Amino acid sequence: MADDIIRRMGFLCLGSRFKRIGERMQADVARFIESEGLDLQPAQCPVIAALDRNGTMTVGELVEALGVAQPGVTRNITRLAELGIVQSARTMHDGRCTTVALTPAGRKLADRLKRATWPRIEAAVAEVCAGLSGPLLKQLESIEDALA
């Protein structure tokens, strides 16, 4: 096995390590979602969740609620609209502002995700993180080992 430089560098490479773990988890979630017969990316799920919880939102509100950059939110909205999951419209009082809402198909999908898909994903992540304690770097090693 090759020497894991990022792991060995400790706190110096903490951001890279978080990114690597996040990418691995996202890839695993993508495979799971695909196995469920869904045409979604993991990054689209928080958009669906926010709209399900809050109802119609502006793009700016979604950016704030999700804590991600506007271009990423816009890309997800565009793809979800192509899939018929969301609909967007310019507001009447400010043509620069776009509102986004779940379509009836999007509400049905959100119900399915909440009932079956998300609980299974959450349980898998909880299993990976079960028993973590102690120093952060050791916890990250445990998470990486469990994901491997």
Side-chain angles (χ1 to χ4, degrees), residues 119-131:
R120 291 179 61 201
I121 293 168
E122 185 175 22
V125 174
E127 183 179 325
V128 167
C129 296

Side-chain angles (χ1 to χ4, degrees), residues 38-147:
L38 299 171
D39 186 18
L40 288 176
Q41 293 299 311
Q44 295 164 339
C45 290
V47 173
I48 295 168
L51 294 171
D52 178 64
R53 173 175 274 191
N54 299 314
T56 302
M57 299 175 75
T58 66
V59 172
E61 290 169 337
L62 278 166
V63 166
E64 186 175 328
L66 301 174
V68 297
Q70 182 270 333
V73 170
T74 300
R75 275 191 303 276
N76 284 325
I77 290 167
T78 299
R79 179 65 179 133
L80 291 170
E82 290 168 356
L83 295 170
I85 296 167
V86 302
Q87 59 191 10
S88 60
R90 299 273 181 203
T91 61
M92 296 199 356
H93 68 279
D94 183 352
R96 297 169 298 168
C97 189
T98 301
T99 59
V100 184
L102 292 173
T103 63
R107 285 191 293 281
K108 184 176 176 182
L109 174 62
D111 289 341
R112 176 182 175 186
L113 290 168
K114 289 187 303 187
R115 183 183 71 257
T117 307
W118 292 341
R120 291 179 61 201
I121 293 168
E122 185 175 22
V125 174
E127 183 179 325
V128 167
C129 296
L132 293 179
S133 64
L136 176 62
L137 294 178
K138 284 292 186 190
Q139 291 180 28
L140 293 176
E141 284 179 21
S142 297
I143 291 170
E144 288 169 329
D145 292 344
L147 289 172

